[in-house]
Coordinates of all heavy atoms in Angstrom, one line a residue:
M1 N -74.5 -7.7 25.7 CA -75.1 -8.7 25.0 C -75.9 -9.6 26.0 O -77.0 -10.1 25.7 CB -74.1 -9.7 24.2 CG -74.8 -10.7 23.4 SD -75.8 -10.1 22.2 CE -74.8 -10.1 20.8
L2 N -75.4 -9.8 27.2 CA -76.1 -10.5 28.2 C -77.4 -9.8 28.6 O -78.4 -10.5 28.8 CB -75.2 -10.7 29.5 CG -75.8 -11.4 30.6 CD1 -76.0 -12.8 30.2 CD2 -74.9 -11.4 31.8
L3 N -77.4 -8.5 28.6 CA -78.5 -7.7 28.9 C -79.7 -8.0 27.9 O -80.8 -8.0 28.2 CB -78.3 -6.2 29.0 CG -79.5 -5.3 29.5 CD1 -79.9 -5.8 30.8 CD2 -79.0 -3.9 29.4
L4 N -79.3 -8.1 26.6 CA -80.2 -8.4 25.6 C -80.9 -9.8 25.8 O -82.1 -10.0 25.5 CB -79.6 -8.3 24.2 CG -80.5 -8.4 23.0 CD1 -81.5 -7.3 23.0 CD2 -79.6 -8.3 21.7
Y5 N -80.1 -10.8 26.1 CA -80.6 -12.1 26.4 C -81.5 -12.1 27.6 O -82.7 -12.6 27.6 CB -79.5 -13.1 26.8 CG -78.7 -13.6 25.5 CD1 -77.3 -13.3 25.5 CD2 -79.3 -14.2 24.5 CE1 -76.6 -13.8 24.4 CE2 -78.6 -14.7 23.4 CZ -77.3 -14.4 23.4 OH -76.5 -14.9 22.3
I6 N -81.2 -11.4 28.6 CA -82.2 -11.3 29.8 C -83.4 -10.6 29.4 O -84.5 -11.0 29.8 CB -81.4 -10.5 31.0 CG1 -80.2 -11.4 31.4 CG2 -82.3 -10.2 32.1 CD1 -79.3 -10.8 32.5
A7 N -83.3 -9.5 28.7 CA -84.5 -8.8 28.3 C -85.4 -9.6 27.4 O -86.6 -9.6 27.6 CB -84.2 -7.6 27.5
F8 N -84.9 -10.4 26.5 CA -85.7 -11.3 25.7 C -86.4 -12.4 26.5 O -87.5 -12.8 26.2 CB -84.8 -11.9 24.6 CG -85.5 -12.6 23.4 CD1 -86.4 -11.8 22.6 CD2 -85.5 -13.9 23.3 CE1 -87.1 -12.4 21.6 CE2 -86.2 -14.5 22.2 CZ -87.0 -13.8 21.4
I9 N -85.6 -13.0 27.4 CA -86.2 -14.0 28.3 C -87.4 -13.4 29.1 O -88.4 -14.1 29.3 CB -85.1 -14.6 29.2 CG1 -84.2 -15.5 28.3 CG2 -85.7 -15.4 30.3 CD1 -83.0 -16.0 29.1
V10 N -87.2 -12.2 29.6 CA -88.2 -11.6 30.5 C -89.4 -11.3 29.6 O -90.6 -11.4 30.0 CB -87.7 -10.2 31.1 CG1 -88.8 -9.4 31.7 CG2 -86.7 -10.6 32.2
Y11 N -89.2 -10.9 28.3 CA -90.3 -10.6 27.4 C -91.1 -11.9 27.2 O -92.3 -12.0 27.1 CB -89.7 -10.1 26.0 CG -90.8 -10.1 24.9 CD1 -91.8 -9.1 24.9 CD2 -90.8 -11.1 24.0 CE1 -92.8 -9.1 23.9 CE2 -91.8 -11.1 23.0 CZ -92.8 -10.1 23.0 OH -93.7 -10.1 22.0
I12 N -90.4 -13.1 26.9 CA -91.0 -14.4 26.6 C -91.9 -14.7 27.8 O -93.1 -15.1 27.7 CB -90.0 -15.4 26.3 CG1 -89.3 -15.2 25.0 CG2 -90.7 -16.8 26.3 CD1 -88.2 -16.0 24.8
L13 N -91.3 -14.6 29.0 CA -92.0 -14.9 30.3 C -93.2 -14.0 30.5 O -94.4 -14.5 30.9 CB -91.1 -14.9 31.5 CG -90.1 -16.0 31.5 CD1 -89.1 -15.8 32.7 CD2 -90.6 -17.4 31.6
A14 N -93.0 -12.8 30.2 CA -94.2 -11.8 30.4 C -95.3 -12.1 29.5 O -96.5 -12.0 29.9 CB -93.7 -10.4 30.2
V15 N -95.1 -12.4 28.2 CA -96.1 -12.6 27.2 C -96.8 -13.9 27.5 O -98.1 -14.0 27.5 CB -95.5 -12.6 25.8 CG1 -96.6 -13.1 24.8 CG2 -95.0 -11.3 25.4
N16 N -96.1 -15.0 28.0 CA -96.8 -16.2 28.4 C -97.6 -16.0 29.6 O -98.7 -16.5 29.8 CB -95.7 -17.3 28.6 CG -95.4 -17.8 27.3 OD1 -96.1 -18.5 26.6 ND2 -94.1 -17.7 26.9
F17 N -97.2 -15.2 30.6 CA -97.9 -14.9 31.8 C -99.1 -14.2 31.4 O -100.2 -14.4 31.9 CB -97.1 -14.1 32.8 CG -97.8 -13.8 34.1 CD1 -98.1 -14.8 35.0 CD2 -98.1 -12.4 34.3 CE1 -98.7 -14.4 36.2 CE2 -98.8 -12.2 35.5 CZ -99.1 -13.1 36.4
Y18 N -99.0 -13.2 30.5 CA -100.2 -12.4 30.1 C -101.2 -13.3 29.4 O -102.4 -13.2 29.5 CB -99.8 -11.3 29.1 CG -101.0 -10.6 28.5 CD1 -101.7 -9.8 29.3 CD2 -101.3 -10.8 27.2 CE1 -102.9 -9.0 28.7 CE2 -102.4 -10.1 26.6 CZ -103.1 -9.3 27.4 OH -104.2 -8.6 26.8
A19 N -100.7 -14.3 28.6 CA -101.6 -15.2 27.9 C -102.5 -16.0 29.0 O -103.6 -16.2 28.8 CB -100.9 -16.2 27.0
V20 N -101.8 -16.5 30.0 CA -102.5 -17.2 31.0 C -103.6 -16.3 31.8 O -104.7 -16.7 31.9 CB -101.5 -17.7 32.1 CG1 -102.2 -18.4 33.3 CG2 -100.6 -18.8 31.5
I21 N -103.2 -15.1 32.1 CA -104.1 -14.2 32.7 C -105.2 -13.8 31.8 O -106.4 -13.7 32.2 CB -103.3 -12.9 33.2 CG1 -102.3 -13.2 34.2 CG2 -104.3 -11.8 33.7 CD1 -102.8 -13.9 35.5
L22 N -105.0 -13.7 30.5 CA -106.0 -13.3 29.5 C -107.0 -14.5 29.4 O -108.3 -14.2 29.4 CB -105.4 -13.1 28.2 CG -106.4 -12.9 27.0 CD1 -107.1 -11.5 27.3 CD2 -105.6 -12.8 25.7
L23 N -106.6 -15.7 29.3 CA -107.5 -16.8 29.3 C -108.3 -17.0 30.6 O -109.5 -17.3 30.5 CB -106.7 -18.1 29.0 CG -106.3 -18.3 27.6 CD1 -105.4 -19.5 27.4 CD2 -107.6 -18.5 26.8
R24 N -107.7 -16.7 31.7 CA -108.5 -16.8 32.9 C -109.5 -15.7 33.0 O -110.6 -15.9 33.4 CB -107.5 -16.7 34.2 CG -108.3 -16.9 35.4 CD -107.4 -16.9 36.6 NE -107.2 -15.4 36.9 CZ -106.3 -14.9 37.7 NH1 -105.5 -15.8 38.4 NH2 -106.2 -13.6 37.9
T25 N -109.2 -14.5 32.5 CA -110.1 -13.4 32.5 C -111.3 -13.7 31.6 O -112.4 -13.5 31.9 CB -109.5 -12.1 32.1 OG1 -108.3 -11.9 33.0 CG2 -110.4 -10.9 32.2
L26 N -111.0 -14.1 30.4 CA -112.0 -14.5 29.4 C -112.9 -15.6 29.9 O -114.1 -15.6 29.7 CB -111.5 -14.8 28.0 CG -110.8 -13.7 27.3 CD1 -110.0 -14.2 26.1 CD2 -111.8 -12.6 26.9
R27 N -112.3 -16.6 30.5 CA -113.1 -17.7 31.1 C -114.1 -17.2 32.1 O -115.3 -17.6 32.2 CB -112.2 -18.7 31.7 CG -113.0 -20.0 32.2 CD -112.2 -20.8 33.1 NE -111.9 -20.0 34.3 CZ -111.1 -20.4 35.3 NH1 -110.5 -21.5 35.2 NH2 -110.9 -19.6 36.3
D28 N -113.6 -16.3 33.0 CA -114.5 -15.8 34.1 C -115.6 -14.9 33.5 O -116.7 -14.9 34.1 CB -113.6 -15.0 35.1 CG -112.7 -16.0 35.9 OD1 -113.0 -17.2 35.9 OD2 -111.8 -15.4 36.5
E29 N -115.2 -14.1 32.5 CA -116.3 -13.3 31.8 C -117.4 -14.1 31.1 O -118.5 -13.8 31.3 CB -115.6 -12.3 30.9 CG -114.9 -11.2 31.5 CD -114.3 -10.3 30.4 OE1 -114.4 -10.6 29.2 OE2 -113.6 -9.3 30.8
N30 N -116.9 -15.1 30.4 CA -118.0 -15.9 29.7 C -118.6 -17.0 30.5 O -119.7 -17.4 30.2 CB -117.2 -16.5 28.4 CG -116.8 -15.5 27.4 OD1 -117.3 -14.3 27.5 ND2 -115.8 -15.8 26.6
G31 N -117.9 -17.4 31.5 CA -118.5 -18.6 32.3 C -118.6 -19.9 31.5 O -117.7 -20.2 30.7
D32 N -119.7 -20.6 31.6 CA -119.9 -21.8 30.8 C -120.3 -21.5 29.4 O -120.4 -22.4 28.6 CB -120.8 -22.7 31.5 CG -120.3 -23.2 32.8 OD1 -119.0 -23.3 32.9 OD2 -121.0 -23.5 33.8
D33 N -120.8 -20.3 29.1 CA -121.4 -20.0 27.8 C -120.2 -19.5 26.9 O -120.2 -18.3 26.6 CB -122.5 -18.9 27.9 CG -123.6 -19.3 28.8 OD1 -123.8 -20.6 28.8 OD2 -124.3 -18.6 29.4
C34 N -119.4 -20.3 26.5 CA -118.2 -19.9 25.7 C -118.4 -20.2 24.2 O -117.5 -20.6 23.5 CB -116.9 -20.5 26.2 SG -116.9 -22.3 26.1
K35 N -119.7 -20.3 23.8 CA -120.1 -20.6 22.4 C -119.7 -19.4 21.5 O -119.4 -19.6 20.4 CB -121.5 -21.0 22.4 CG -121.9 -22.2 23.1 CD -123.3 -22.6 22.9 CE -123.5 -23.9 23.7 NZ -124.8 -24.6 23.4
A36 N -119.9 -18.2 22.1 CA -119.5 -17.0 21.2 C -118.0 -17.0 21.0 O -117.2 -17.4 21.9 CB -120.0 -15.7 21.9
N37 N -117.5 -16.5 20.0 CA -116.1 -16.4 19.7 C -115.5 -15.1 20.3 O -114.6 -14.5 19.6 CB -115.8 -16.6 18.2 CG -116.1 -18.0 17.7 OD1 -116.0 -18.9 18.5 ND2 -116.4 -18.1 16.5
T38 N -115.9 -14.7 21.4 CA -115.4 -13.5 22.0 C -114.0 -13.7 22.5 O -113.8 -14.7 23.3 CB -116.3 -12.9 23.1 OG1 -116.4 -14.0 24.1 CG2 -117.6 -12.6 22.5
G39 N -113.1 -12.9 22.1 CA -111.8 -13.0 22.7 C -110.8 -13.9 21.9 O -109.6 -14.0 22.2
D40 N -111.3 -14.5 20.8 CA -110.3 -15.4 20.0 C -109.3 -14.5 19.3 O -108.1 -15.0 19.3 CB -111.2 -16.1 18.9 CG -112.0 -17.2 19.5 OD1 -111.8 -17.5 20.6 OD2 -112.7 -17.8 18.7
G41 N -109.6 -13.3 18.9 CA -108.6 -12.5 18.3 C -107.5 -12.1 19.3 O -106.3 -12.0 18.9
K42 N -107.9 -11.8 20.5 CA -106.9 -11.5 21.6 C -106.0 -12.7 21.8 O -104.8 -12.5 22.0 CB -107.6 -11.0 22.9 CG -108.3 -9.7 22.7 CD -109.0 -9.5 24.1 CE -109.9 -8.2 24.0 NZ -110.6 -8.0 25.2
I43 N -106.6 -13.8 21.9 CA -105.7 -15.0 22.2 C -104.8 -15.3 21.1 O -103.6 -15.6 21.3 CB -106.7 -16.3 22.4 CG1 -107.5 -16.1 23.6 CG2 -106.0 -17.5 22.6 CD1 -108.7 -17.0 23.8
I44 N -105.2 -15.2 19.8 CA -104.4 -15.4 18.6 C -103.3 -14.3 18.5 O -102.1 -14.7 18.3 CB -105.2 -15.5 17.4 CG1 -106.1 -16.7 17.4 CG2 -104.3 -15.5 16.1 CD1 -107.1 -16.8 16.3
L45 N -103.6 -13.1 18.8 CA -102.6 -12.0 18.8 C -101.5 -12.3 19.9 O -100.3 -12.1 19.6 CB -103.2 -10.7 18.9 CG -102.3 -9.5 19.0 CD1 -101.6 -9.4 17.6 CD2 -103.0 -8.2 19.3
T46 N -102.0 -12.7 21.1 CA -101.0 -12.9 22.2 C -100.2 -14.1 21.8 O -98.9 -14.2 22.1 CB -101.7 -13.3 23.5 OG1 -102.6 -12.2 23.8 CG2 -100.9 -13.5 24.6
A47 N -100.7 -15.1 21.1 CA -99.9 -16.3 20.7 C -98.9 -15.8 19.7 O -97.8 -16.4 19.7 CB -100.8 -17.4 20.2
I48 N -99.2 -15.1 18.7 CA -98.3 -14.6 17.7 C -97.2 -13.8 18.3 O -96.0 -13.9 17.9 CB -99.1 -13.8 16.6 CG1 -100.0 -14.8 15.8 CG2 -98.1 -13.1 15.6 CD1 -100.9 -14.1 14.8
L49 N -97.4 -13.0 19.3 CA -96.5 -12.2 20.0 C -95.5 -13.0 20.8 O -94.5 -12.5 21.4 CB -97.0 -11.1 20.8 CG -97.8 -10.0 20.0 CD1 -98.5 -9.1 21.0 CD2 -96.8 -9.3 19.1
G50 N -95.8 -14.4 21.0 CA -94.8 -15.2 21.8 C -95.4 -16.0 22.9 O -94.8 -16.7 23.6
G51 N -96.7 -15.9 23.1 CA -97.4 -16.6 24.2 C -98.2 -17.8 23.8 O -99.1 -18.1 24.6
A52 N -97.9 -18.4 22.7 CA -98.6 -19.6 22.3 C -98.5 -20.8 23.3 O -99.6 -21.4 23.5 CB -98.2 -20.0 20.9
I53 N -97.4 -21.0 23.8 CA -97.3 -22.1 24.6 C -98.0 -21.9 26.0 O -98.7 -22.8 26.5 CB -95.7 -22.4 25.0 CG1 -95.0 -22.8 23.7 CG2 -95.5 -23.4 26.0 CD1 -93.5 -22.9 23.8
G54 N -97.9 -20.7 26.5 CA -98.7 -20.4 27.8 C -100.1 -20.4 27.5 O -100.9 -21.0 28.3
A55 N -100.6 -20.0 26.3 CA -102.1 -20.0 26.0 C -102.5 -21.4 25.8 O -103.6 -21.8 26.3 CB -102.3 -19.2 24.8
Y56 N -101.8 -22.2 25.1 CA -102.2 -23.5 24.8 C -102.2 -24.4 26.1 O -103.2 -25.2 26.3 CB -101.2 -24.2 23.8 CG -101.7 -25.5 23.2 CD1 -102.8 -25.6 22.4 CD2 -101.0 -26.7 23.4 CE1 -103.3 -26.8 21.9 CE2 -101.4 -27.8 22.8 CZ -102.6 -27.9 22.1 OH -102.9 -29.1 21.5
V57 N -101.2 -24.3 26.9 CA -101.2 -25.1 28.2 C -102.4 -24.7 29.1 O -103.0 -25.5 29.7 CB -99.8 -25.0 28.9 CG1 -99.9 -25.5 30.2 CG2 -98.8 -25.6 28.0
S58 N -102.6 -23.4 29.2 CA -103.6 -22.9 30.1 C -105.0 -23.2 29.6 O -105.9 -23.2 30.4 CB -103.5 -21.4 30.3 OG -103.6 -20.6 29.2
M59 N -105.2 -23.4 28.2 CA -106.4 -23.8 27.7 C -106.9 -25.2 28.2 O -108.0 -25.4 28.5 CB -106.4 -23.8 26.2 CG -106.5 -22.4 25.6 SD -106.2 -22.3 23.8 CE -107.7 -23.4 23.2
F60 N -105.9 -26.0 28.4 CA -106.1 -27.4 28.8 C -106.3 -27.4 30.4 O -107.1 -28.1 30.8 CB -105.0 -28.4 28.5 CG -105.1 -28.8 27.0 CD1 -104.2 -28.3 26.1 CD2 -106.1 -29.7 26.7 CE1 -104.4 -28.7 24.8 CE2 -106.3 -30.1 25.4 CZ -105.4 -29.6 24.5
I61 N -105.5 -26.6 31.1 CA -105.6 -26.6 32.6 C -107.0 -26.0 32.9 O -107.6 -26.6 33.9 CB -104.5 -25.7 33.1 CG1 -103.2 -26.5 32.9 CG2 -104.6 -25.5 34.6 CD1 -101.9 -25.7 33.4
M62 N -107.4 -25.0 32.2 CA -108.6 -24.3 32.6 C -109.8 -24.8 31.9 O -111.0 -24.5 32.2 CB -108.6 -22.8 32.3 CG -107.6 -22.1 33.2 SD -107.7 -20.4 32.7 CE -105.9 -19.9 32.9
R63 N -109.6 -25.8 31.0 CA -110.7 -26.4 30.1 C -111.5 -25.3 29.5 O -112.7 -25.3 29.6 CB -111.5 -27.3 30.9 CG -110.7 -28.5 31.4 CD -111.6 -29.5 32.1 NE -110.8 -30.6 32.5 CZ -111.2 -31.4 33.5 NH1 -112.2 -31.2 34.1 NH2 -110.4 -32.4 33.8
Y64 N -110.8 -24.4 28.9 CA -111.5 -23.2 28.2 C -111.3 -23.3 26.7 O -110.1 -23.4 26.2 CB -110.9 -21.9 28.8 CG -111.5 -20.7 28.2 CD1 -112.9 -20.4 28.4 CD2 -110.8 -19.9 27.3 CE1 -113.5 -19.2 27.9 CE2 -111.4 -18.8 26.7 CZ -112.7 -18.4 27.0 OH -113.2 -17.3 26.5
K65 N -112.4 -23.3 25.9 CA -112.4 -23.3 24.4 C -111.7 -24.5 23.9 O -111.0 -24.4 22.9 CB -111.8 -22.0 23.9 CG -112.6 -20.8 24.3 CD -112.5 -19.8 23.3 CE -113.4 -18.6 23.7 NZ -113.8 -17.8 22.5
I66 N -111.7 -25.6 24.6 CA -111.1 -26.9 24.0 C -111.8 -27.3 22.8 O -111.2 -28.0 21.9 CB -111.1 -27.9 25.2 CG1 -110.1 -27.5 26.3 CG2 -110.6 -29.2 24.6 CD1 -110.0 -28.4 27.4
K67 N -113.1 -27.1 22.7 CA -113.9 -27.6 21.5 C -113.7 -26.6 20.3 O -114.3 -27.0 19.3 CB -115.4 -27.7 21.9 CG -115.5 -28.7 22.9 CD -117.0 -29.0 23.2 CE -117.2 -30.0 24.3 NZ -118.6 -30.1 24.8
N68 N -113.0 -25.5 20.5 CA -112.8 -24.6 19.4 C -111.7 -25.2 18.5 O -110.6 -25.1 18.8 CB -112.4 -23.2 19.9 CG -112.5 -22.1 18.8 OD1 -112.3 -22.5 17.6 ND2 -112.6 -20.9 19.3
V69 N -112.1 -25.6 17.4 CA -111.1 -26.2 16.4 C -110.0 -25.4 15.9 O -108.8 -25.7 15.8 CB -111.9 -26.9 15.2 CG1 -110.9 -27.6 14.3 CG2 -112.9 -27.9 15.7
L70 N -110.5 -24.2 15.7 CA -109.4 -23.1 15.2 C -108.3 -22.9 16.2 O -107.1 -23.0 15.8 CB -110.2 -21.8 14.9 CG -109.2 -20.7 14.6 CD1 -108.6 -20.9 13.2 CD2 -109.9 -19.3 14.6
L71 N -108.6 -22.8 17.4 CA -107.6 -22.6 18.5 C -106.8 -23.9 18.8 O -105.7 -23.8 18.9 CB -108.2 -22.0 19.7 CG -108.8 -20.6 19.7 CD1 -109.4 -20.2 21.0 CD2 -107.7 -19.7 19.3
M72 N -107.5 -25.0 18.7 CA -106.8 -26.3 18.9 C -105.8 -26.6 17.8 O -104.8 -27.3 18.1 CB -107.8 -27.4 19.1 CG -108.5 -27.4 20.4 SD -107.4 -27.8 21.7 CE -107.4 -26.4 22.7
V73 N -105.9 -26.1 16.7 CA -105.1 -26.4 15.5 C -104.0 -25.3 15.4 O -102.9 -25.5 15.2 CB -105.8 -26.6 14.2 CG1 -104.9 -26.6 13.0 CG2 -106.7 -27.8 14.3
L74 N -104.5 -24.1 15.6 CA -103.6 -22.9 15.4 C -102.6 -22.7 16.5 O -101.5 -22.3 16.2 CB -104.5 -21.6 15.2 CG -103.9 -20.4 14.7 CD1 -103.4 -20.8 13.2 CD2 -104.8 -19.3 14.6
M75 N -102.9 -23.0 17.7 CA -102.0 -22.8 18.9 C -100.7 -23.6 18.8 O -99.6 -23.1 18.9 CB -102.7 -23.0 20.2 CG -103.6 -22.0 20.6 SD -102.8 -20.4 20.8 CE -104.0 -19.3 20.2
P76 N -100.8 -24.9 18.4 CA -99.5 -25.7 18.3 C -98.7 -25.2 17.2 O -97.5 -25.2 17.2 CB -100.0 -27.1 18.1 CG -101.4 -27.1 18.6 CD -102.0 -25.8 18.5
V77 N -99.4 -24.8 16.0 CA -98.7 -24.3 14.8 C -97.9 -23.1 15.2 O -96.6 -22.9 14.9 CB -99.6 -24.1 13.7 CG1 -98.9 -23.5 12.5 CG2 -100.2 -25.5 13.3
I78 N -98.6 -22.2 15.8 CA -97.9 -20.9 16.2 C -96.8 -21.2 17.3 O -95.8 -20.5 17.3 CB -98.9 -19.9 16.7 CG1 -99.9 -19.5 15.7 CG2 -98.2 -18.6 17.4 CD1 -101.1 -18.6 16.1
A79 N -97.1 -22.1 18.2 CA -96.1 -22.4 19.2 C -94.8 -23.0 18.6 O -93.7 -22.7 19.0 CB -96.6 -23.4 20.1
V80 N -94.9 -23.7 17.5 CA -93.7 -24.3 16.8 C -92.9 -23.1 16.2 O -91.7 -23.1 16.3 CB -94.1 -25.4 15.7 CG1 -93.0 -25.7 14.8 CG2 -94.6 -26.6 16.4
F81 N -93.6 -22.2 15.5 CA -93.0 -21.1 15.0 C -92.4 -20.2 16.1 O -91.2 -19.6 15.9 CB -93.9 -20.2 14.2 CG -94.3 -20.8 12.8 CD1 -95.6 -21.0 12.5 CD2 -93.3 -21.1 11.9 CE1 -95.9 -21.6 11.3 CE2 -93.6 -21.7 10.7 CZ -95.0 -21.8 10.4
N82 N -93.0 -20.0 17.2 CA -92.4 -19.3 18.3 C -91.1 -19.9 18.8 O -90.1 -19.3 19.0 CB -93.4 -19.2 19.5 CG -94.5 -18.1 19.3 OD1 -94.3 -17.3 18.5 ND2 -95.5 -18.3 20.0
V83 N -91.2 -21.2 19.1 CA -90.0 -21.9 19.6 C -88.8 -21.9 18.5 O -87.6 -21.6 18.9 CB -90.3 -23.4 19.9 CG1 -89.0 -24.2 20.2 CG2 -91.2 -23.5 21.1
Y84 N -89.2 -22.0 17.2 CA -88.1 -21.9 16.2 C -87.5 -20.5 16.2 O -86.3 -20.4 16.1 CB -88.8 -22.2 14.9 CG -87.8 -22.0 13.7 CD1 -86.8 -22.9 13.4 CD2 -87.9 -20.8 12.8 CE1 -85.9 -22.7 12.5 CE2 -87.1 -20.7 11.8 CZ -86.0 -21.5 11.6 OH -85.2 -21.3 10.6
F85 N -88.3 -19.5 16.3 CA -87.8 -18.1 16.3 C -87.0 -17.8 17.5 O -85.9 -17.2 17.5 CB -89.0 -17.1 16.3 CG -88.5 -15.7 16.5 CD1 -87.8 -15.0 15.5 CD2 -88.7 -15.0 17.8 CE1 -87.4 -13.8 15.7 CE2 -88.3 -13.7 17.9 CZ -87.7 -13.1 16.8
F86 N -87.4 -18.4 18.7 CA -86.6 -18.2 19.9 C -85.2 -18.9 19.8 O -84.2 -18.3 20.2 CB -87.2 -18.8 21.2 CG -88.6 -18.1 21.4 CD1 -89.6 -18.7 22.1 CD2 -88.8 -16.8 21.1 CE1 -90.8 -18.2 22.4 CE2 -90.0 -16.2 21.4 CZ -91.1 -16.9 22.0
I87 N -85.2 -20.1 19.2 CA -83.9 -20.8 19.1 C -83.0 -20.1 18.1 O -81.8 -19.9 18.3 CB -84.2 -22.3 18.6 CG1 -84.8 -23.0 19.7 CG2 -82.9 -22.9 18.1 CD1 -85.3 -24.5 19.4
V88 N -83.5 -19.6 17.0 CA -82.8 -18.9 16.0 C -82.3 -17.6 16.6 O -81.1 -17.2 16.4 CB -83.6 -18.6 14.7 CG1 -82.9 -17.6 13.8 CG2 -83.8 -19.9 14.0
A89 N -83.1 -17.0 17.4 CA -82.7 -15.7 18.0 C -81.5 -15.9 18.9 O -80.5 -15.1 19.0 CB -83.8 -15.0 18.7
F90 N -81.6 -16.9 19.8 CA -80.5 -17.2 20.8 C -79.2 -17.7 20.1 O -78.1 -17.3 20.6 CB -81.0 -18.2 21.8 CG -81.8 -17.5 22.9 CD1 -83.2 -17.7 23.0 CD2 -81.3 -16.6 23.8 CE1 -84.0 -17.1 24.0 CE2 -82.0 -16.0 24.8 CZ -83.4 -16.3 24.9
R91 N -79.4 -18.5 19.1 CA -78.2 -19.1 18.5 C -77.4 -18.1 17.7 O -76.2 -18.1 17.6 CB -78.5 -20.3 17.6 CG -78.8 -21.5 18.4 CD -78.8 -22.7 17.5 NE -79.0 -23.9 18.4 CZ -79.3 -25.0 17.9 NH1 -79.3 -25.2 16.6 NH2 -79.5 -26.1 18.7
S92 N -78.2 -17.1 17.1 CA -77.5 -16.1 16.3 C -77.0 -14.9 17.0 O -76.3 -14.1 16.5 CB -78.4 -15.6 15.2 OG -79.5 -14.8 15.9
G93 N -77.3 -14.9 18.3 CA -76.9 -13.8 19.1 C -77.6 -12.4 18.7 O -77.1 -11.4 19.0
F94 N -78.8 -12.6 18.2 CA -79.7 -11.5 17.9 C -79.0 -10.6 16.7 O -79.3 -9.5 16.7 CB -80.0 -10.6 19.0 CG -80.8 -11.3 20.1 CD1 -80.2 -11.8 21.2 CD2 -82.1 -11.6 19.9 CE1 -80.9 -12.5 22.2 CE2 -82.9 -12.2 20.9 CZ -82.3 -12.6 22.0
T95 N -78.2 -11.2 15.9 CA -77.5 -10.5 14.9 C -78.4 -10.2 13.7 O -78.1 -9.4 12.8 CB -76.2 -11.2 14.4 OG1 -76.5 -12.6 14.0 CG2 -75.2 -11.2 15.6
F96 N -79.5 -10.9 13.6 CA -80.4 -10.8 12.4 C -81.1 -9.5 12.6 O -81.8 -9.0 11.6 CB -81.3 -12.0 12.2 CG -82.2 -12.3 13.5 CD1 -83.4 -11.6 13.7 CD2 -81.8 -13.1 14.4 CE1 -84.2 -12.0 14.7 CE2 -82.6 -13.4 15.5 CZ -83.7 -12.8 15.6
F97 N -81.2 -8.8 13.8 CA -81.8 -7.5 14.0 C -80.9 -6.4 13.4 O -81.4 -5.4 13.0 CB -82.1 -7.3 15.3 CG -83.3 -8.1 15.9 CD1 -83.1 -8.8 17.1 CD2 -84.4 -8.2 15.2 CE1 -84.1 -9.6 17.7 CE2 -85.5 -8.9 15.8 CZ -85.3 -9.6 17.0
I98 N -79.6 -6.6 13.5 CA -78.7 -5.6 13.1 C -78.2 -5.8 11.7 O -77.5 -6.9 11.4 CB -77.5 -5.5 14.0 CG1 -78.0 -5.3 15.5 CG2 -76.5 -4.4 13.6 CD1 -77.0 -5.5 16.5
R99 N -78.5 -5.0 10.7 CA -78.0 -5.1 9.4 C -77.5 -3.8 8.9 O -77.9 -2.8 9.1 CB -79.1 -5.6 8.5 CG -79.6 -7.0 8.8 CD -79.2 -8.0 7.8 NE -79.5 -9.2 8.4 CZ -79.5 -10.3 7.7 NH1 -79.3 -10.3 6.4 NH2 -79.7 -11.5 8.2

């Protein structure tokens, strides 16, 4: 059971790290011309997979796509769902996967 907890924590950290790297890569590709919505789907998918907190924080640190209303509203909402899922998963001991 401990191995499952460790694997889940490593997954959470890896997805958040990937979100930070993804935003840095998209920022470097687009430069200051971030008017096009290139990469929004990748950012949202990464957030849904568990990297919403990393993506949201790195958006402010890098000042990337801060004026994009969709991402500024959607990231905190997805982050709340991520945190809720993580808490439920840890408290239940991952028993909701086994039925």
Side-chain angles (χ1 to χ4, degrees):
M1 188 57 100
L2 181 63
L3 186 60
L4 188 59
Y5 284 121
I6 292 171
F8 194 66
I9 290 171
V10 168
Y11 170 77
I12 293 168
L13 293 175
V15 171
N16 280 295
F17 181 72
Y18 174 73
V20 172
I21 298 299
L22 176 67
L23 281 170
R24 189 179 76 191
T25 304
L26 290 174
R27 183 199 62 189
D28 291 343
E29 285 178 0
N30 293 341
D32 292 331
D33 300 330
C34 60
K35 294 182 183 198
N37 289 332
T38 57
D40 285 354
K42 292 178 186 177
I43 296 170
I44 292 172
L45 180 64
T46 304
I48 290 172
L49 292 176
I53 296 172
Y56 192 63
V57 169
S58 63
M59 283 172 64
F60 281 108
I61 291 173
M62 295 181 216
R63 293 185 180 155
Y64 179 70
K65 295 208 179 209
I66 293 176
K67 294 181 181 177
N68 191 337
V69 177
L70 174 70
L71 291 178
M72 284 289 118
V73 172
L74 196 59
M75 284 299 140
V77 172
I78 295 174
V80 168
F81 285 124
N82 283 341
V83 170
Y84 175 73
F85 174 73
F86 298 153
I87 290 171
V88 167
F90 279 110
R91 284 195 179 168
S92 70
F94 298 101
T95 56
F96 57 90
F97 288 129
I98 303 167
R99 294 250 169 165

